[in-house]
Amino acid sequence: MVEYTSKNFMFLKKSQLQHLYCTLEDDELICYKTPTNGKIYIDGRKIIEELVQRIGEEVGDIERFNLNQSINRLKNHMTHDIYRKFHEVRKVGNNYVHSNKGELIAPEKVLELVHNILVWYVSKWEDLSCEHLEFEKPPLSNDIDEALKARINE
């Protein structure tokens, strides 16, 4: 049996976000199999919702707002590039959930955005040194097919 291990999200195993690793590893497995599968878009949105809540708690901004307002309220605690990426993931999640309105970006792009946000988060808020980690597109090969079949049959 072929095993698949995500190199992109391995750093999460050393963080307080280790519970996200399996979800993102699974998303890499299905990334090219079902491009219109909403799991990646929904997972991306759930992840940024969790991060916004964590950042809000860290900075003492725990009022409940919609995700758009919450990201805007935390803008001063993130770089402009990360702020833009939070909104991009939020928008694609919204577009998918609300009847595929608007543009959907490629699933691997969502994974890359989430990767970049998570690298930023653990570097800034957990003081883990991962800024240098670059996203690698998930491999497309028969090995992935076998790993995916093994996961489905578990």
Side-chain angles (χ1 to χ4, degrees):
M1 178 166 68
V2 176
E3 281 290 319
Y4 176 74
T5 302
S6 171
K7 295 177 186 168
N8 286 317
F9 299 102
M10 188 67 74
F11 69 94
L12 291 175
K13 290 186 169 189
K14 297 177 185 170
S15 78
Q16 296 174 15
L17 300 171
Q18 58 188 288
H19 63 282
L20 299 176
Y21 176 81
C22 288
T23 297
L24 290 163
E25 186 179 60
D26 287 348
D27 285 350
E28 282 190 347
L29 282 170
I30 66 167
C31 181
Y32 300 115
K33 292 295 167 194
T34 51
T36 58
N37 183 321
K39 181 179 182 324
I40 293 171
Y41 303 117
I42 293 167
D43 288 347
R45 182 178 165 105
K46 286 179 182 177
I47 288 167
I48 65 164
E49 287 172 352
E50 179 178 340
L51 296 180
V52 164
Q53 181 178 343
R54 286 173 175 262
I55 295 167
E57 289 170 359
E58 189 70 30
V59 300
D61 189 348
I62 54 173
E63 297 223 18
R64 297 285 180 188
F65 295 94
N66 69 39
L67 186 57
N68 182 40
Q69 292 170 328
S70 295
I71 293 169
N72 289 338
R73 289 176 60 95
L74 298 173
K75 181 178 185 176
N76 293 333
H77 301 284
M78 52 185 82
T79 67
H80 178 73
D81 184 52
I82 292 296
Y83 170 77
R84 182 187 57 75
K85 289 175 182 177
F86 265 92
H87 275 299
E88 197 167 349
V89 173
R90 176 191 62 79
K91 287 176 188 174
V92 76
N94 284 354
N95 289 344
Y96 181 79
V97 169
H98 300 292
S99 305
N100 292 326
K101 295 176 186 171
E103 287 293 313
L104 289 179
I105 60 177
E108 65 269 17
K109 180 63 178 170
V110 174
L111 288 173
E112 182 177 4
L113 290 168
V114 170
H115 173 270
N116 294 338
I117 291 168
L118 288 167
V119 166
W120 167 82
Y121 178 86
V122 300
S123 297
K124 178 174 174 75
W125 298 99
E126 294 188 22
D127 203 26
L128 292 177
S129 179
C130 341
E131 303 89 4
H132 63 282
L133 295 177
E134 295 293 323
F135 182 80
E136 295 179 23
K137 282 190 171 187
L140 179 60
S141 71
N142 289 334
D143 288 346
I144 296 297
D145 291 342
E146 292 304 315
L148 181 58
K149 287 177 192 171
R151 288 254 175 113
I152 291 170
N153 292 326
E154 286 180 354

